[in-house]
Amino acid sequence: MKPAAETDCDADGEPASPLVRDFALELARAHELARGDADRERHTLSLMALERERLVDAHYSGASLGARIAALRAPARVRDMIRFAFQWAAREEQMHAVLVRGVLLGQRGLRLAIATISRHFAGLVAGWSSAVLTHASWRRAPLAKTLAWVVGKLGMIAGKVPRAARSTLAHQAFDEFCRFQIEAERTAEMAWSTLEALGGEHAATYARIAAEERRHRKIFGLLAASFHGDALDDDTTAESLEGSLAAIDRAFVPSSTHRVGRGGRVIVRAFADASAEQRLDDALVATDLLDEVAAVLPPGGTVAIKTTFMMAYDRRDRSPVVDPALIDALAGLLRARGAGDVVVLEAQNQYDQFFGGRGVVEVARYMGFDAPSYRVADATADQVPLAAERGHGQSTISREWVAADVRIAFGKMRTHPSWLAHLCLGTLESLGGRVDRMLFADRLADLGTGAMIMLDGWPCHLAILDATSAVPDGLTGVLGCRDPISPGRLYAATDPLALDLVAARHMGLVTFPRDVPIAMARDWFGDPTPRIVVDGPDTPIVGLRSPHRNDWTIFLSALAYPVYAYSSRRGALWVPRMDPAAFPHLGPEGRACWLARRLLRATFGFGRPA
């Protein structure tokens, strides 16, 4: 393979910019230092790619760029399209970074792990500082600008900022910023193409990533040509820009046809006291919502219901579990409308690494999911290859979910330490590979990203949320709750994102960290908020304790995922007190583990039945 540094032209035959030539020399140096060791060269390039992907992810998704887009002299629709395009580009860069970080940490070398984590955080800091320096003004953000200037100078001293890029660390017009990003994306494409050429297990994935970087370059080329400074070109309209973006990649334009993100009715029904049948009848039948869904169900067809009960640990605490009576009632309604087979899907989780009796069918029987109106199936045990058009890291999906004529997400309202709320979108997270393979430091994709990949190709036709009784709240509600609340509400919609947004707002949650499924879905499919119509009570849930109810819980919430991913012994410490008769320990608990588990349960109040 001819080293990239030996040519003065880029991959398209155009004269290479100084930034591209400098990066080609860096690739050549990495090749020489490897001395023919492909693994060593692969590690070096992967670390370079990780730092760069974290940098642009932080830059594209940062508040400074968002404020800059809002100030562009262009129609609101154009600004919305540009904002969505940057959000999606940031999502793809984030997926690239998570994947290559997981590959590096999977090598299990201490020096490589330290280098990986340091490059990860260096990229985040550099991304923030470059965004502030490029987009913020001294008048509007003097403190942030000063700190970013210091970071930028330190980066120059450390040799982290190429000479060709130093002139960009100042306020730029929007078209100038886009032109620089064309060259930056070109260097990313070079890195991933070189990794592909080195071969190995992930070569095909690196080729896909290189193609995505090429599309990012085309997006920036289009935006640079559409603007003069910060003003939209007179010859560019919202319609022409949308058509050009879609011609490059439909993912950069919000879809008006996908089932997720289109909005519509969100049914909310409140009950003081009613049977499961009455609750579902009022929410689904009386509003014609079930008939709307059943219209796509052929006679004798199959319905797959993805629900949640595998966080159960003791039948005395029903807070982590959907009410089995609601599942039975829904299956009865579906059979009355011609369904020949109703399958209830759940999946294994990390608990089966530490306790026996944790098979899906065993836990279902223990918690009372054993009605004759449906059958229970393990989504983890019956996976088929997943050929996703968008996203990385999720390679399989439940066969039952894919084959079903109608797909339903039936979630349980629960608070979550890092996601804040675990609702219908979160319920779909375990339809692919094992959940614990997408939780810890060596994961190849985030759990929420995996759910988006599956939802993109195989969306649900109906979403239902159980908030009737035993709703766990507080910081660690998803793990179980000693004193759950009973809101007496049931939610239903054909758009799961619209449902989750309404339910979260009723929980007092409006803004979310960007790694939360609700935030991911808005970037992936578009924000349905302007098109949502709430049918029923649109009021807060009284008495619910939010994970963001004060500064202390906000601080703990921010720490929750890093602590769990990096220092929980792969989930071993954060487990509830299992019913020993149903779920015995698989091995000795160990004194340190015994003490840590009890300390965490006592401190955060989870996993102990009242």
Side-chain angles (χ1 to χ4, degrees), residues 422-444:
H422 196 290
L423 307 170
C424 283
L425 292 172
T427 300
L428 304 174
E429 67 193 12
S430 54
L431 282 170
R434 283 186 60 98
V435 168
D436 47 349
R437 293 177 184 169
M438 302 182 75
L439 279 174
F440 303 106
D442 57 353
R443 63 191 182 277
L444 300 183

PDB file of all heavy atoms in Angstrom, residues 422-444:
ATOM      1  N   HIS A 422     -37.124   5.459  32.591  1.00  0.00           N
ATOM      2  CA  HIS A 422     -37.087   4.230  31.799  1.00  0.00           C
ATOM      3  C   HIS A 422     -38.529   3.936  31.394  1.00  0.00           C
ATOM      4  O   HIS A 422     -39.339   3.485  32.211  1.00  0.00           O
ATOM      5  CB  HIS A 422     -36.506   3.079  32.609  1.00  0.00           C
ATOM      6  CG  HIS A 422     -36.090   1.908  31.785  1.00  0.00           C
ATOM      7  ND1 HIS A 422     -36.991   1.087  31.151  1.00  0.00           N
ATOM      8  CD2 HIS A 422     -34.853   1.421  31.477  1.00  0.00           C
ATOM      9  CE1 HIS A 422     -36.337   0.139  30.503  1.00  0.00           C
ATOM     10  NE2 HIS A 422     -35.039   0.315  30.682  1.00  0.00           N
ATOM     11  N   LEU A 423     -38.853   4.206  30.115  1.00  0.00           N
ATOM     12  CA  LEU A 423     -40.239   4.134  29.658  1.00  0.00           C
ATOM     13  C   LEU A 423     -40.346   3.152  28.500  1.00  0.00           C
ATOM     14  O   LEU A 423     -39.733   2.095  28.548  1.00  0.00           O
ATOM     15  CB  LEU A 423     -40.708   5.546  29.296  1.00  0.00           C
ATOM     16  CG  LEU A 423     -40.502   6.600  30.402  1.00  0.00           C
ATOM     17  CD1 LEU A 423     -40.770   8.005  29.896  1.00  0.00           C
ATOM     18  CD2 LEU A 423     -41.369   6.289  31.605  1.00  0.00           C
ATOM     19  N   CYS A 424     -41.087   3.485  27.440  1.00  0.00           N
ATOM     20  CA  CYS A 424     -41.307   2.521  26.356  1.00  0.00           C
ATOM     21  C   CYS A 424     -40.065   2.314  25.497  1.00  0.00           C
ATOM     22  O   CYS A 424     -39.746   1.187  25.125  1.00  0.00           O
ATOM     23  CB  CYS A 424     -42.476   2.983  25.482  1.00  0.00           C
ATOM     24  SG  CYS A 424     -44.086   2.671  26.233  1.00  0.00           S
ATOM     25  N   LEU A 425     -39.355   3.395  25.167  1.00  0.00           N
ATOM     26  CA  LEU A 425     -38.154   3.234  24.352  1.00  0.00           C
ATOM     27  C   LEU A 425     -37.125   2.367  25.064  1.00  0.00           C
ATOM     28  O   LEU A 425     -36.475   1.526  24.444  1.00  0.00           O
ATOM     29  CB  LEU A 425     -37.555   4.601  24.025  1.00  0.00           C
ATOM     30  CG  LEU A 425     -38.367   5.498  23.086  1.00  0.00           C
ATOM     31  CD1 LEU A 425     -37.752   6.884  23.005  1.00  0.00           C
ATOM     32  CD2 LEU A 425     -38.464   4.880  21.700  1.00  0.00           C
ATOM     33  N   GLY A 426     -36.973   2.547  26.373  1.00  0.00           N
ATOM     34  CA  GLY A 426     -36.033   1.738  27.132  1.00  0.00           C
ATOM     35  C   GLY A 426     -36.400   0.273  27.164  1.00  0.00           C
ATOM     36  O   GLY A 426     -35.530  -0.592  27.256  1.00  0.00           O
ATOM     37  N   THR A 427     -37.687  -0.016  27.069  1.00  0.00           N
ATOM     38  CA  THR A 427     -38.146  -1.407  27.083  1.00  0.00           C
ATOM     39  C   THR A 427     -37.598  -2.194  25.901  1.00  0.00           C
ATOM     40  O   THR A 427     -37.418  -3.412  25.977  1.00  0.00           O
ATOM     41  CB  THR A 427     -39.686  -1.442  27.069  1.00  0.00           C
ATOM     42  OG1 THR A 427     -40.178  -0.754  28.216  1.00  0.00           O
ATOM     43  CG2 THR A 427     -40.219  -2.861  27.067  1.00  0.00           C
ATOM     44  N   LEU A 428     -37.305  -1.511  24.790  1.00  0.00           N
ATOM     45  CA  LEU A 428     -36.853  -2.178  23.571  1.00  0.00           C
ATOM     46  C   LEU A 428     -35.351  -2.444  23.554  1.00  0.00           C
ATOM     47  O   LEU A 428     -34.847  -3.054  22.608  1.00  0.00           O
ATOM     48  CB  LEU A 428     -37.246  -1.334  22.351  1.00  0.00           C
ATOM     49  CG  LEU A 428     -38.736  -1.005  22.222  1.00  0.00           C
ATOM     50  CD1 LEU A 428     -38.967  -0.046  21.069  1.00  0.00           C
ATOM     51  CD2 LEU A 428     -39.546  -2.285  22.031  1.00  0.00           C
ATOM     52  N   GLU A 429     -34.638  -1.997  24.585  1.00  0.00           N
ATOM     53  CA  GLU A 429     -33.185  -2.080  24.573  1.00  0.00           C
ATOM     54  C   GLU A 429     -32.658  -3.506  24.483  1.00  0.00           C
ATOM     55  O   GLU A 429     -31.560  -3.732  23.965  1.00  0.00           O
ATOM     56  CB  GLU A 429     -32.632  -1.426  25.840  1.00  0.00           C
ATOM     57  CG  GLU A 429     -32.993  -2.209  27.100  1.00  0.00           C
ATOM     58  CD  GLU A 429     -32.737  -1.439  28.384  1.00  0.00           C
ATOM     59  OE1 GLU A 429     -32.503  -0.221  28.293  1.00  0.00           O
ATOM     60  OE2 GLU A 429     -32.789  -2.069  29.455  1.00  0.00           O
ATOM     61  N   SER A 430     -33.417  -4.478  24.970  1.00  0.00           N
ATOM     62  CA  SER A 430     -32.915  -5.851  25.065  1.00  0.00           C
ATOM     63  C   SER A 430     -33.425  -6.766  23.960  1.00  0.00           C
ATOM     64  O   SER A 430     -33.377  -7.987  24.097  1.00  0.00           O
ATOM     65  CB  SER A 430     -33.301  -6.438  26.433  1.00  0.00           C
ATOM     66  OG  SER A 430     -34.695  -6.326  26.663  1.00  0.00           O
ATOM     67  N   LEU A 431     -33.879  -6.199  22.851  1.00  0.00           N
ATOM     68  CA  LEU A 431     -34.317  -7.036  21.732  1.00  0.00           C
ATOM     69  C   LEU A 431     -33.147  -7.578  20.926  1.00  0.00           C
ATOM     70  O   LEU A 431     -33.311  -8.484  20.122  1.00  0.00           O
ATOM     71  CB  LEU A 431     -35.229  -6.224  20.794  1.00  0.00           C
ATOM     72  CG  LEU A 431     -36.667  -6.027  21.257  1.00  0.00           C
ATOM     73  CD1 LEU A 431     -37.378  -5.008  20.379  1.00  0.00           C
ATOM     74  CD2 LEU A 431     -37.424  -7.352  21.243  1.00  0.00           C
ATOM     75  N   GLY A 432     -31.962  -7.010  21.122  1.00  0.00           N
ATOM     76  CA  GLY A 432     -30.784  -7.467  20.400  1.00  0.00           C
ATOM     77  C   GLY A 432     -29.923  -8.374  21.245  1.00  0.00           C
ATOM     78  O   GLY A 432     -30.425  -9.215  22.005  1.00  0.00           O
ATOM     79  N   GLY A 433     -28.614  -8.194  21.122  1.00  0.00           N
ATOM     80  CA  GLY A 433     -27.692  -9.006  21.911  1.00  0.00           C
ATOM     81  C   GLY A 433     -27.846  -8.721  23.396  1.00  0.00           C
ATOM     82  O   GLY A 433     -28.569  -7.810  23.811  1.00  0.00           O
ATOM     83  N   ARG A 434     -27.167  -9.478  24.218  1.00  0.00           N
ATOM     84  CA  ARG A 434     -27.291  -9.335  25.665  1.00  0.00           C
ATOM     85  C   ARG A 434     -27.048  -7.896  26.100  1.00  0.00           C
ATOM     86  O   ARG A 434     -26.128  -7.233  25.643  1.00  0.00           O
ATOM     87  CB  ARG A 434     -26.320 -10.265  26.375  1.00  0.00           C
ATOM     88  CG  ARG A 434     -26.748 -11.723  26.405  1.00  0.00           C
ATOM     89  CD  ARG A 434     -25.761 -12.523  27.271  1.00  0.00           C
ATOM     90  NE  ARG A 434     -25.734 -12.014  28.628  1.00  0.00           N
ATOM     91  CZ  ARG A 434     -26.416 -12.560  29.649  1.00  0.00           C
ATOM     92  NH1 ARG A 434     -27.179 -13.612  29.438  1.00  0.00           N
ATOM     93  NH2 ARG A 434     -26.330 -12.047  30.859  1.00  0.00           N
ATOM     94  N   VAL A 435     -27.880  -7.440  27.010  1.00  0.00           N
ATOM     95  CA  VAL A 435     -27.799  -6.066  27.500  1.00  0.00           C
ATOM     96  C   VAL A 435     -26.443  -5.779  28.120  1.00  0.00           C
ATOM     97  O   VAL A 435     -25.856  -4.705  27.909  1.00  0.00           O
ATOM     98  CB  VAL A 435     -28.933  -5.808  28.522  1.00  0.00           C
ATOM     99  CG1 VAL A 435     -28.701  -4.503  29.256  1.00  0.00           C
ATOM    100  CG2 VAL A 435     -30.283  -5.776  27.821  1.00  0.00           C
ATOM    101  N   ASP A 436     -25.904  -6.719  28.897  1.00  0.00           N
ATOM    102  CA  ASP A 436     -24.659  -6.441  29.599  1.00  0.00           C
ATOM    103  C   ASP A 436     -23.466  -6.300  28.655  1.00  0.00           C
ATOM    104  O   ASP A 436     -22.422  -5.791  29.061  1.00  0.00           O
ATOM    105  CB  ASP A 436     -24.370  -7.491  30.675  1.00  0.00           C
ATOM    106  CG  ASP A 436     -24.558  -8.913  30.193  1.00  0.00           C
ATOM    107  OD1 ASP A 436     -25.108  -9.099  29.102  1.00  0.00           O
ATOM    108  OD2 ASP A 436     -24.161  -9.838  30.912  1.00  0.00           O
ATOM    109  N   ARG A 437     -23.603  -6.696  27.396  1.00  0.00           N
ATOM    110  CA  ARG A 437     -22.525  -6.477  26.438  1.00  0.00           C
ATOM    111  C   ARG A 437     -22.516  -5.047  25.903  1.00  0.00           C
ATOM    112  O   ARG A 437     -21.603  -4.669  25.165  1.00  0.00           O
ATOM    113  CB  ARG A 437     -22.644  -7.467  25.279  1.00  0.00           C
ATOM    114  CG  ARG A 437     -22.406  -8.914  25.709  1.00  0.00           C
ATOM    115  CD  ARG A 437     -22.593  -9.882  24.574  1.00  0.00           C
ATOM    116  NE  ARG A 437     -22.457 -11.260  25.037  1.00  0.00           N
ATOM    117  CZ  ARG A 437     -22.769 -12.330  24.312  1.00  0.00           C
ATOM    118  NH1 ARG A 437     -23.250 -12.171  23.083  1.00  0.00           N
ATOM    119  NH2 ARG A 437     -22.626 -13.540  24.814  1.00  0.00           N
ATOM    120  N   MET A 438     -23.527  -4.277  26.243  1.00  0.00           N
ATOM    121  CA  MET A 438     -23.611  -2.895  25.779  1.00  0.00           C
ATOM    122  C   MET A 438     -23.694  -1.922  26.953  1.00  0.00           C
ATOM    123  O   MET A 438     -24.193  -0.805  26.802  1.00  0.00           O
ATOM    124  CB  MET A 438     -24.819  -2.733  24.851  1.00  0.00           C
ATOM    125  CG  MET A 438     -24.780  -3.658  23.658  1.00  0.00           C
ATOM    126  SD  MET A 438     -26.152  -3.442  22.528  1.00  0.00           S
ATOM    127  CE  MET A 438     -25.673  -1.920  21.731  1.00  0.00           C
ATOM    128  N   LEU A 439     -23.193  -2.358  28.101  1.00  0.00           N
ATOM    129  CA  LEU A 439     -23.248  -1.527  29.297  1.00  0.00           C
ATOM    130  C   LEU A 439     -21.884  -1.070  29.774  1.00  0.00           C
ATOM    131  O   LEU A 439     -21.745   0.040  30.291  1.00  0.00           O
ATOM    132  CB  LEU A 439     -23.919  -2.291  30.440  1.00  0.00           C
ATOM    133  CG  LEU A 439     -25.442  -2.344  30.471  1.00  0.00           C
ATOM    134  CD1 LEU A 439     -25.914  -3.258  31.591  1.00  0.00           C
ATOM    135  CD2 LEU A 439     -26.029  -0.953  30.640  1.00  0.00           C
ATOM    136  N   PHE A 440     -20.863  -1.892  29.614  1.00  0.00           N
ATOM    137  CA  PHE A 440     -19.604  -1.653  30.299  1.00  0.00           C
ATOM    138  C   PHE A 440     -18.557  -1.042  29.365  1.00  0.00           C
ATOM    139  O   PHE A 440     -18.815  -0.778  28.195  1.00  0.00           O
ATOM    140  CB  PHE A 440     -19.138  -2.939  30.960  1.00  0.00           C
ATOM    141  CG  PHE A 440     -20.167  -3.491  31.911  1.00  0.00           C
ATOM    142  CD1 PHE A 440     -20.918  -4.618  31.590  1.00  0.00           C
ATOM    143  CD2 PHE A 440     -20.432  -2.840  33.107  1.00  0.00           C
ATOM    144  CE1 PHE A 440     -21.889  -5.098  32.447  1.00  0.00           C
ATOM    145  CE2 PHE A 440     -21.404  -3.315  33.977  1.00  0.00           C
ATOM    146  CZ  PHE A 440     -22.134  -4.448  33.643  1.00  0.00           C
ATOM    147  N   ALA A 441     -17.363  -0.785  29.901  1.00  0.00           N
ATOM    148  CA  ALA A 441     -16.374   0.035  29.209  1.00  0.00           C
ATOM    149  C   ALA A 441     -15.987  -0.514  27.838  1.00  0.00           C
ATOM    150  O   ALA A 441     -15.690   0.250  26.923  1.00  0.00           O
ATOM    151  CB  ALA A 441     -15.130   0.168  30.080  1.00  0.00           C
ATOM    152  N   ASP A 442     -15.980  -1.840  27.675  1.00  0.00           N
ATOM    153  CA  ASP A 442     -15.547  -2.431  26.411  1.00  0.00           C
ATOM    154  C   ASP A 442     -16.693  -2.657  25.427  1.00  0.00           C
ATOM    155  O   ASP A 442     -16.566  -3.414  24.474  1.00  0.00           O
ATOM    156  CB  ASP A 442     -14.818  -3.747  26.665  1.00  0.00           C
ATOM    157  CG  ASP A 442     -15.670  -4.746  27.439  1.00  0.00           C
ATOM    158  OD1 ASP A 442     -16.771  -4.376  27.882  1.00  0.00           O
ATOM    159  OD2 ASP A 442     -15.225  -5.902  27.601  1.00  0.00           O
ATOM    160  N   ARG A 443     -17.822  -1.969  25.642  1.00  0.00           N
ATOM    161  CA  ARG A 443     -18.958  -2.105  24.728  1.00  0.00           C
ATOM    162  C   ARG A 443     -18.614  -1.516  23.362  1.00  0.00           C
ATOM    163  O   ARG A 443     -17.788  -0.607  23.254  1.00  0.00           O
ATOM    164  CB  ARG A 443     -20.178  -1.389  25.297  1.00  0.00           C
ATOM    165  CG  ARG A 443     -20.008   0.110  25.460  1.00  0.00           C
ATOM    166  CD  ARG A 443     -21.142   0.710  26.269  1.00  0.00           C
ATOM    167  NE  ARG A 443     -21.030   2.160  26.392  1.00  0.00           N
ATOM    168  CZ  ARG A 443     -20.276   2.783  27.279  1.00  0.00           C
ATOM    169  NH1 ARG A 443     -19.541   2.073  28.125  1.00  0.00           N
ATOM    170  NH2 ARG A 443     -20.237   4.104  27.323  1.00  0.00           N
ATOM    171  N   LEU A 444     -19.254  -2.038  22.311  1.00  0.00           N
ATOM    172  CA  LEU A 444     -19.060  -1.520  20.959  1.00  0.00           C
ATOM    173  C   LEU A 444     -20.157  -0.542  20.565  1.00  0.00           C
ATOM    174  O   LEU A 444     -20.069   0.087  19.504  1.00  0.00           O
ATOM    175  CB  LEU A 444     -18.998  -2.674  19.949  1.00  0.00           C
ATOM    176  CG  LEU A 444     -17.873  -3.691  20.174  1.00  0.00           C
ATOM    177  CD1 LEU A 444     -17.875  -4.724  19.063  1.00  0.00           C
ATOM    178  CD2 LEU A 444     -16.515  -3.005  20.264  1.00  0.00           C
TER     179      LEU A 444
END
